[in-house]
Amino acid sequence: ICVPRNMTQAAGMYNTLLQSDEPAMVIECLNGYRLKEKLPSNLGEFTVPVGQAEVLREGTYCTVVTYGSMCRIVMAAAEELEEIGISIEVIDAQTLLPFDISGEIVKSVSKTNRVLFADEDVPGGASAFMLQQAIEEQDLYHYLDSAPQTLAAKPHRPAYSSDGDYFSKPSEDDVVEKVYGIMHEANPKEFPKL
């Protein structure tokens, strides 16, 4: 199950999948169609490896694992968090099945000791699946100094348009508040309650 963050990544995933005989599913992010991207010169040739999470941004305070359209939102939140002194590492899972076979998430959390799994799915959906995989399959709990957290959409069908996305799905503000809450719990003097 491939979950690209934009249409360029989707093309690379399709190229990879066309080289194999395995069944697969690519879940394209609808918001990806609204974005302008630079067209790669090797669009029909480059590939994106299946099962390999990608570190999009290095950080030291907290790891945020996400995929699809949430990558853009989390990256924007990372800029805002940087302004208030919180450095987050952002990881794009890229595929849910297989999930992070090289252990990028554990490597990151062994450095940051805190983790947030974020997605646009309903509570208990893909963010809970990623958390379960990291805890049970990769023994992530050995490196945690704070309880692992998830951030998902509201438990209802989203309204149409960008306004519906804002009220139903996690926003940049939601990511900032969630990460700040994790850091407040870890160091209330440096990060006082908002």
Side-chain angles (χ1 to χ4, degrees), residues 23-65:
M25 194 171 19
V26 178
I27 302 171
E28 296 177 358
C29 53
L30 293 177
N31 290 334
Y33 292 117
R34 300 180 198 172
L35 303 176
K36 292 204 182 275
E37 299 176 55
K38 187 173 185 288
L39 185 66
S41 59
N42 61 345
L43 188 62
E45 301 165 8
F46 84 98
T47 59
V48 173
V50 174
Q52 301 292 323
E54 181 181 356
V55 177
L56 300 179
R57 178 188 173 106
E58 296 281 334
T60 55
Y61 281 36
C62 184
T63 300
V64 180
V65 182

Side-chain angles (χ1 to χ4, degrees), residues 39-114:
L39 185 66
S41 59
N42 61 345
L43 188 62
E45 301 165 8
F46 84 98
T47 59
V48 173
V50 174
Q52 301 292 323
E54 181 181 356
V55 177
L56 300 179
R57 178 188 173 106
E58 296 281 334
T60 55
Y61 281 36
C62 184
T63 300
V64 180
V65 182
T66 191
Y67 65 86
S69 293
M70 281 296 293
C71 288
R72 187 172 31 87
I73 292 167
V74 171
M75 291 295 283
E79 294 294 326
E80 191 173 328
L81 286 162
E82 192 73 41
E83 292 175 10
I84 57 174
I86 299 174
S87 168
I88 66 168
E89 187 146 305
V90 180
I91 297 179
D92 178 4
Q94 296 198 104
T95 61
L96 296 177
L97 290 174
F99 181 74
D100 187 26
I101 57 178
S102 62
E104 288 299 321
I105 296 167
V106 171
K107 289 176 200 166
S108 175
V109 174
S110 69
K111 177 175 63 171
T112 65
N113 304 111
R114 291 168 192 82

